[in-house]
Amino acid sequence: MSAMLLSVLSVVVTILVVEGGIGRPRGVPLSRAVLYQPGEGNTFKCLNTVQEFPFEYVNDDYCDCDDGTDEPGTAACPNMKFFCQNKGHVAEDILSSRVNDGYCDCCDGSDEYQQEKIQCTNTCDELGRKRREDLVREKELRETGFNIRKQYVEEGLQNLQTNKALAEELEKSKEQMIGEREDFEVKKTEAESPEKEAKEKHEKAWEAVKAERQAAGDKLKAAQAFQQLDHNRDTFVDTSEMMSHPEFDIDSDGTVSEEEAKEYLEDQERSTEDEFLEKIWPNIKEIYKAPVEESETKGDEDMSPPSATHTAVEDKKAEEEEEEKMPDYDEETKRLIEVADEARRLYDEADKKVKDVESQISNAKKYLEKDFGPENEYAFLYNKCFEYTEREYTYKLCPFDKASQRPKSGGSETNLGLWGHWDGTSDDGYSAQKYEKGQNCWNGPDRSVKILLQCGMENQLLSASEPSRCEYQFEFATPARCTQPTPEEYQMNYDHDEL
Ligand code: MAN
């Protein structure tokens, strides 16, 4: 072996780390080591260009290849990746500009090999241990959550079947109840007809009495008016007597002229009492003002004690009111009303039964129409509510129903939105929900909430925020969201391919 060959070999040994039977330069993962083996004549071919350089140019801290692949372990080529093995923790690629920048980026400190700048402590074992512990906890959480989820799926399915059967059964009893209601309706109509007839008869008779009383009263008033107008008691009311009554001043000029008086006397000079009652009184009864009697003007100065006058007035009023009131129905009408009342009560009862069953059917159908997730695993949350209190508000979520907010200091609840739809990503549609059409925000949109779901051992509202005015975001943990952890998910990733 020549001295020259020996020196070349020694360079190769210094730039290649030998591990797992294959050498590789600093910053190169094992999976790419094969690309960094010295070629014929101890050369290195840049990985993405046709350039070729002596192998010792690799990691010589000078960027030779246009694609930068000759410097995987230095900061010489911009935007390259440096691979940290991080044994005991998770291997990672860091930006090549971070190599030897005086800051420890890799937990194994391999990015800071020029130790004059900084000496990094290897923290990979500790970080790896912590990470493994976290992963074990997360795995346990997912497993426990997933087991609960299985129960939810079972319950969801059962509820679905129960509600389906219930809806069908209720539909049947609804038919029967409608039939019963129809029977009661017929009976009600039958009972109401004689009741109506008897009531109408009674009311008509009462109307007739009232009309008679009114006519008699009117006649009395007319006769009194004749007496009052006939000042000279000559059994006639004439124009001059009419002229002393200012209410007959048609043109409101302050005096009642003879013409105006005649106008009311049917163009005559005077009227007899019979004529007055029959023809004149109907014309003037709305405007005629009876003279105020002396005893009436003196009313307030009455010598009797005020309370006595008051009582007399009240008594008269009560008497008049009593007279105005329709008398009670006769016994037979009362009996018919009682029979009809009972028929109405029975009908109303039957009607209420139909309405109740209709509302139960509607609830069962509402349940059946809801999308409770691919396996009905979210059905468990229906008809339940969860709260979260922060600095200012208590937020409430009733899944598949509504979301609300109320001030901690008291005050009314604000509707933040009603159940809208699932709102997850295109490949994970059940990861989020949307509640919308809440109370309108002043000068803004209707309030709405996006619920981000995550796996948790318990159903819990974890947070509530308002990223944009009146657009809220809740985080909600539920076992329904837990998927079964796979062995691959929890065995990998400790050391990549470097184990
Ligand atoms: C209330 C609350 C808030 C909201 C404002 C908008 O105070 O609902 O969350 O931002 O109204 O005016």
Side-chain angles (χ1 to χ4, degrees):
M1 203 180 287
S2 71
M4 168 120 162
L5 187 61
L6 267 175
S7 87
V8 167
L9 265 177
S10 75
V11 169
V12 171
V13 167
T14 54
I15 55 175
L16 289 183
V17 184
V18 179
E19 201 174 322
I22 184 159
R24 56 189 162 128
R26 193 193 298 277
V28 174
L30 195 56
S31 58
R32 287 162 69 82
V34 66
L35 303 171
Y36 283 90
Q37 297 308 310
E40 212 173 292
N42 198 30
T43 54
F44 173 72
K45 280 187 181 152
C46 306
L47 302 185
N48 308 306
T49 69
V50 290
Q51 294 164 293
E52 194 171 323
F53 297 99
F55 199 80
E56 65 258 40
Y57 282 20
V58 173
N59 280 344
D60 67 349
D61 211 10
Y62 183 82
C63 199
D64 297 291
C65 300
D66 292 343
D67 63 5
T69 50
D70 61 310
E71 295 298 318
T74 75
C77 297
N79 298 324
M80 297 308 290
K81 291 274 166 61
F82 176 88
F83 173 80
C84 338
Q85 189 173 332
N86 290 346
K87 212 166 181 173
H89 189 38
V90 183
E92 66 175 329
D93 288 323
I94 61 165
L95 265 178
S96 58
S97 56
R98 302 217 163 139
V99 173
N100 290 326
D101 63 351
Y103 182 83
C104 305
D105 294 286
C106 306
C107 67
D108 61 4
S110 59
D111 57 315
E112 295 300 321
Y113 54 84
Q114 278 177 358
Q115 298 193 345
E116 65 272 17
K117 278 194 186 157
I118 187 168
Q119 290 195 355
C120 299
T121 320
N122 188 330
T123 56
C124 290
D125 280 345
E126 198 192 324
L127 289 175
R129 185 177 46 75
K130 264 193 77 191
R131 180 168 183 270
R132 277 186 288 277
E133 281 169 10
D134 288 349
L135 287 175
V136 166
R137 261 197 302 277
E138 185 188 300
K139 188 167 173 248
E140 274 170 12
L141 175 129
R142 281 182 59 188
E143 266 160 3
T144 314
F146 183 70
N147 282 332
I148 301 174
R149 180 188 186 276
K150 278 200 247 170
Q151 291 167 25
Y152 287 1
V153 170
E154 248 173 62
E155 270 177 48
L157 193 69
Q158 265 171 23
N159 282 342
L160 195 71
Q161 284 161 351
T162 313
N163 274 288
K164 244 189 212 160
L166 183 71
E168 279 164 24
E169 204 176 296
L170 291 172
E171 282 289 357
K172 273 189 221 147
S173 33
K174 182 182 144 187
E175 291 310 307
Q176 193 189 328
M177 285 171 187
I178 288 178
E180 281 168 15
R181 184 177 64 179
E182 275 166 10
D183 291 348
F184 283 119
E185 192 172 12
V186 171
K187 285 183 187 147
K188 181 169 86 91
T189 315
E190 279 169 7
E192 276 176 341
S193 167
E195 177 208 31
K196 189 170 172 240
E197 217 172 282
K199 276 170 94 175
E200 273 174 8
K201 196 173 148 203
H202 180 89
E203 281 154 14
K204 245 185 178 169
W206 168 237
E207 287 303 321
V209 168
K210 273 204 310 193
E212 226 170 80
R213 272 190 200 164
Q214 206 174 348
D218 195 48
K219 211 170 163 191
L220 186 68
K221 268 193 200 152
Q224 277 171 351
F226 185 84
Q227 296 305 322
Q228 287 155 356
L229 281 165
D230 181 15
H231 299 161
N232 58 10
R233 305 270 177 254
D234 64 350
T235 70
F236 291 104
V237 168
D238 58 33
T239 46
S240 63
E241 285 161 337
M242 292 288 283
M243 283 161 74
S244 63
H245 277 250
E247 63 267 33
F248 301 130
D249 178 11
I250 297 173
D251 59 9
S252 306
D253 67 350
T255 51
V256 181
S257 66
E258 203 173 332
E259 283 70 34
E260 284 169 329
K262 268 174 119 180
E263 179 89 27
Y264 286 110
L265 288 177
E266 298 273 299
D267 276 340
Q268 301 174 106
E269 291 291 334
R270 58 187 197 170
S271 165
T272 63
E273 183 167 5
D274 287 350
E275 209 174 8
F276 181 88
L277 298 183
E278 190 189 334
K279 291 187 186 157
I280 313 298
W281 177 243
N283 289 342
I284 65 167
K285 69 178 183 188
E286 299 300 336
I287 50 170
Y288 174 68
K289 287 201 178 85
V292 181
E293 280 176 26
E294 242 174 71
S295 64
E296 281 181 49
T297 50
K298 276 199 202 155
D300 287 345
E301 299 148 29
D302 202 325
M303 294 316 282
S304 54
S307 61
T309 319
H310 200 230
T311 318
V313 171
E314 272 182 354
D315 284 355
K316 192 161 181 247
K317 214 171 142 200
E319 204 178 300
E320 275 168 10
E321 273 173 14
E322 192 54 39
E323 273 184 12
E324 293 287 300
K325 258 179 32 194
M326 187 177 77
D328 282 352
Y329 291 114
D330 59 78
E331 288 312 307
E332 174 57 6
T333 309
K334 278 186 191 164
R335 192 189 64 77
L336 289 171
I337 292 172
E338 255 171 45
V339 171
D341 277 347
E342 176 63 2
R344 273 190 287 269
R345 193 187 64 74
L346 290 171
Y347 170 80
D348 288 347
E349 213 174 76
D351 185 51
K352 189 177 175 297
K353 273 190 194 163
V354 172
K355 293 208 168 104
D356 284 351
V357 83
E358 276 173 348
S359 133
Q360 284 175 45
I361 292 172
S362 145
N363 284 342
K365 282 195 173 155
K366 234 192 245 169
Y367 184 92
L368 295 173
E369 280 158 15
K370 288 238 156 82
D371 176 1
F372 288 125
E375 293 182 274
N376 273 306
E377 65 271 39
Y378 291 94
F380 180 81
L381 298 173
Y382 191 49
N383 280 334
K384 293 191 171 66
C385 295
F386 304 88
E387 288 195 346
Y388 172 79
T389 301
E390 45 93 273
R391 212 167 32 90
E392 225 181 314
Y393 297 104
T394 293
Y395 288 90
K396 186 155 102 178
L397 172 68
C398 304
F400 302 98
D401 186 13
K402 63 178 181 193
S404 59
Q405 168 200 59
R406 66 170 190 275
K408 251 167 77 177
S409 53
S412 61
E413 201 173 78
T414 303
N415 172 10
L416 299 186
L418 302 177
W419 163 249
H421 50 87
W422 288 99
D423 200 29
T425 52
S426 55
D427 58 343
D428 190 8
Y430 292 98
S431 58
Q433 299 183 331
K434 187 84 178 186
Y435 292 73
E436 50 201 9
K437 299 190 187 108
Q439 200 167 305
N440 184 262
C441 188
W442 189 72
N443 260 350
D446 286 348
R447 284 175 173 79
S448 64
V449 192
K450 181 158 184 154
I451 317 286
L452 304 178
L453 298 168
Q454 58 175 263
C455 164
M457 285 201 230
E458 286 171 17
N459 293 299
Q460 201 182 355
L461 191 53
L462 300 174
S463 74
S465 56
E466 193 176 347
S468 154
R469 194 164 154 260
C470 293
E471 289 177 355
Y472 303 82
Q473 186 168 291
F474 293 0
E475 286 179 303
F476 186 74
T478 171
R481 177 78 187 137
C482 299
T483 49
Q484 186 163 33
T486 61
E488 298 82 59
E489 279 177 292
Y490 287 93
Q491 259 170 28
M492 46 162 223
N493 273 346
Y494 293 142
D495 287 303
H496 274 317
D497 48 358
E498 305 297 316
L499 277 175

